[in-house]
Amino acid sequence: MEYPTAPIGGPAAWLGADMARRTDWVETFTPAELAEIEAAVAEHLNSGRAMGEITPETFRLPTLAPRLTRILHDIQHGRGFVLLRGFDVAGRDIEESAIAYLGIGAHLGGFRSQNAKGHLLGHVKDLGLDIQNPKVRYYQTNKELEFHTDSCDIVGLICLKTSKSGGGSRIVSSVAIHDRMMRETPDLWRALFNPMPTDRRGEIPPGMLPWFEIPVFNWFQGELSTIYSGQYIRSAQANFPEARRLTADESAAIDRLDELAAEMSVEMEFRPGDMQFIHNHQILHSRTDFEDWPEPEKRRHLLRLWLAPREARVLPPVYAQRYGDISVGNRGGIVVKDTVLRFTLEPA
């Protein structure tokens, strides 16, 4: 097992209080860029191509594409996230919004499956499901999400409709949390380099157990990558007696990580049309619980992308338990025995 010998620091180790005073992470589309997006959406609709055929070559953005390349560098090698603002979703149907979102996302990476159903375009919406069901994912409810990572390099969200109240997006630097735990609680810091049984919530690839075991902190080839879901680590302890039991230090370590995540995070309010992209390997994200509108047509609705950039960091071999193939550009996502990759415009 390898460990960093000193705090990592750098632009990825930011604090929420400092980030709340900055505006450089909000990138507003220019009128010319919005016109390019409109033209690319129209060209796609006229071509008759399927959503799965959207690529940087088919969704041409002559002046926006170089900006997206710079933003991708900021996501992967800088602060780890961005909010793109200014796209209008109110004046268009969901298909047009989805095409625009997919086109922009394609310039950042390839699309990956987000669940056992093979959804490449995810829907984050309260479906009224029972959170006690071990196969229900928390994003399908209106409940608060604890800080976690998703199973991909980059996760994106676009806001179509907001809730009546609540539902704020919170993010935190896992690099900053690592550095603080290294300084303040070295025993708990070290415990997070131990493999942690984590519940797959029923989405089990062929030949795999109902849980995977990957350390929260992974130091590999000079970079820290974090993979974490406290809710699912705890549910693995509750639901799978045969899974390894956490030690006292390990339990205390995830409790402390959760405390620091809440303390060190920044919350951003989504406006309709906002697009957020975050680097899972250095950012944890969460959501506050929310109250939705009684009218079905007004209810909170976000679309989600899981992306694999064509150029990215090398991940440790242990990630293969969760990511499957860990080859750059072809990794991440959830695929089980009968998964069929598809795009859908309806939550399911």
Side-chain angles (χ1 to χ4, degrees), residues 27 33 48 64 104 120 139 148 160 172 208-209 239 250 253 279 281 288 306 313 316 324 330:
E27 301 261 0
E33 290 167 345
L64 178 55
I104 290 169
L120 297 167
Y139 70 83
H148 66 284
L160 300 181
V172 66
M208 295 291 188
L209 294 168
N239 297 326
E250 289 167 346
H279 193 211
H281 307 314
T288 62
W306 283 5
R313 67 174 57 185
N330 187 40

Side-chain angles (χ1 to χ4, degrees), residues 2-4 8 218-225 313-314:
E2 294 183 58
Y3 304 93
I8 297 164
N218 298 267
W219 182 247
F220 188 68
Q221 296 192 8
E223 291 188 297
L224 179 77
S225 296
R313 67 174 57 185
V314 178

Side-chain angles (χ1 to χ4, degrees), residues 4 8 24 28 32-33 44 65 71 73 77-78 108 116 119 125 132 144 171 181 190-191 197 201 240 327 329 339 344:
I8 297 164
D24 57 319
T28 303
E33 290 167 345
H44 175 85
I71 287 171
H73 184 273
H77 305 289
L108 302 177
H119 291 168
K125 192 171 186 178
Q132 301 305 317
E144 177 182 7
I171 61 172
M181 292 187 71
R190 189 174 293 270
R201 303 297 284 182
F240 306 120
S327 303
T339 297
T344 176

Side-chain angles (χ1 to χ4, degrees), residues 15-135:
L15 300 177
D18 295 335
M19 200 59 70
R21 292 189 289 267
R22 292 168 49 179
T23 59
D24 57 319
W25 48 270
V26 180
E27 301 261 0
T28 303
F29 293 117
T30 67
E33 290 167 345
L34 291 171
E36 283 186 355
I37 296 169
E38 292 285 353
V41 170
E43 197 279 330
H44 175 85
L45 290 171
N46 291 334
S47 73
R49 286 190 292 266
M51 287 184 177
E53 297 176 89
I54 294 176
T55 68
E57 291 72 33
T58 65
F59 202 87
R60 291 183 291 273
L61 301 170
T63 60
L64 178 55
R67 186 180 181 191
L68 291 175
T69 298
R70 190 263 300 162
I71 287 171
L72 178 60
H73 184 273
D74 291 343
I75 293 171
Q76 294 193 101
H77 305 289
R79 65 181 172 268
F81 72 99
V82 70
L83 188 73
L84 305 181
R85 177 160 284 168
F87 180 70
D88 176 28
V89 294
R92 66 186 79 240
D93 60 28
I94 188 172
E95 182 181 17
E96 291 183 357
S97 294
I99 290 168
Y101 180 49
L102 288 165
I104 290 169
H107 284 266
L108 302 177
F111 310 131
R112 309 303 294 176
S113 171
Q114 300 175 35
N115 53 34
K117 298 176 181 179
H119 291 168
L120 297 167
L121 180 66
H123 294 260
V124 179
K125 192 171 186 178
D126 180 14
L127 302 181
L129 302 179
D130 181 6
I131 199 61
Q132 301 305 317
N133 184 330
K135 294 187 178 182

Side-chain angles (χ1 to χ4, degrees), residues 265-282:
S265 64
V266 64
E267 182 171 336
M268 62 182 72
E269 177 188 2
F270 280 158
R271 303 174 187 174
D274 282 355
M275 302 180 194
Q276 179 197 69
F277 293 95
I278 64 174
H279 193 211
N280 269 300
H281 307 314
Q282 65 191 69

